Amino acid sequence: MEFMIAGAIAELMSLAVAAKKTLFSSFKTPAMRLNGKKQKVAIYIHGGMFAPPQSYSFWQSYLARHIRPRTHVNLPRGVVWHHSHLEPYLASAPYDESMQEIHIGHSMGGFISLMRLYDEQALQSDRILKVILVGTPLNPEHLHPLVVRTIVRLLAGVNPRLLPPRLQQIQDVRQNGTIAKKVAIIASSKDVLFPPKACYLEGADYREVKNTTHVGMAHDVDTCKTACSIINSALR
């Protein structure tokens, strides 16, 4: 128990450092375009709470090098500080209707990815090929009380027992097998904030990485390799 609390405190300190860096970061980062050509599939990266877009430049460059065929990879559009920012963030993203989409979301960014999938499914659209959730907590009952009090309730402003309507839709995904088939989960056995049990989704493709923390997943090679394997399978 003491190890879990110490680990959670260390993760919170990492989030605080990321928040400080955000103050000196540009709010929007232009997307990267490969070969100057419009691609048929676009990959959208959505970042975790407090994380500036530049935090995911490693993901962007890694995906660009290892996805076949090469694909348009977008960095996060901005910084998500609170659950109330999810909807404006989603509305601001310039989706190209001529392209299919793959979304990869880290932590709170996973909720953005699921919201996008939920909306497209409601329209009976087939544009989204895959959604990859990296360290995204879908099962609050498996979170440590310290995490629930500090991150979920205080920082994100979410009461797990009284979810806002938009996040309630995300919880509904747990009972929707059709949506789950388009979802892949990447969790880390060393993630003390959002452990694997908290990230599990019945019917989804589940993968687990080792030796990286929650914050560290944003620049972890094994996490990127796993994401590339999922994406390349979806593109076949």
Side-chain angles (χ1 to χ4, degrees), residues 11-232:
E11 290 280 7
L12 286 171
M13 292 178 66
S14 296
L15 287 172
V17 171
K20 183 178 180 181
K21 289 181 179 178
T22 298
L23 297 175
F24 301 98
S25 301
S26 140
F27 191 77
K28 292 186 178 180
T29 301
M32 182 176 68
R33 185 171 292 273
L34 297 174
N35 301 325
K37 296 180 181 179
K38 189 176 183 179
Q39 306 296 324
K40 294 182 180 179
V41 177
I43 297 175
Y44 296 90
I45 298 172
H46 307 295
M49 187 168 60
F50 300 146
Q54 291 83 358
S55 298
Y56 298 92
S57 58
F58 178 76
W59 278 13
Q60 185 189 45
S61 61
Y62 193 98
L63 294 175
R65 292 196 311 270
H66 294 89
I67 298 298
R68 297 290 184 272
R70 294 215 166 178
T71 305
H72 187 179
V73 183
N74 298 268
L75 276 175
R77 292 278 298 167
V79 182
V80 177
W81 293 84
H82 190 267
H83 81 83
S84 61
H85 297 169
L86 296 175
E87 190 71 44
Y89 177 104
L90 193 66
S92 72
Y95 300 116
D96 185 335
E97 295 185 1
S98 69
M99 302 173 76
Q100 289 189 295
E101 302 169 14
I102 292 175
H103 293 262
I104 175 169
H106 178 219
S107 196
M108 189 180 277
F111 293 130
I112 296 170
S113 303
L114 281 176
M115 286 164 60
R116 178 65 177 165
L117 176 59
Y118 192 98
D119 290 347
E120 287 299 302
Q121 291 280 302
L123 296 173
Q124 298 184 332
S125 167
D126 226 9
R127 284 177 54 195
I128 297 181
L129 295 176
K130 204 73 176 178
V131 161
I132 304 172
L133 311 181
V134 182
T136 298
L138 301 175
N139 308 297
E141 63 270 20
H142 291 297
L143 297 178
H144 190 280
L146 175 66
V147 174
V148 173
R149 287 196 304 270
T150 307
I151 296 181
V152 178
R153 298 189 69 128
L154 180 61
L155 299 179
V158 176
N159 182 344
R161 299 190 181 198
L162 188 64
L163 290 173
R166 254 322 209 166
L167 291 186
Q168 184 60 54
Q169 289 181 344
I170 304 308
Q171 293 292 9
D172 293 343
V173 169
R174 295 197 295 181
Q175 283 77 47
N176 190 325
T178 302
I179 287 182
K181 289 178 181 177
K182 288 204 169 188
V183 176
I185 308 287
I186 303 177
S188 173
S189 59
K190 292 290 183 69
D191 189 340
V192 295
L193 285 182
F194 305 132
K197 282 186 178 180
C199 302
Y200 183 76
L201 175 64
E202 184 72 32
D205 179 2
Y206 177 82
R207 315 283 182 95
E208 195 168 306
V209 296
K210 306 180 187 299
N211 302 320
T212 186
T213 64
H214 181 75
V215 174
M217 295 174 89
H219 45 79
D220 176 61
V221 173
D222 287 341
T223 301
C224 284
K225 282 182 179 178
T226 304
C228 283
S229 173
I230 294 167
I231 292 170
N232 283 325

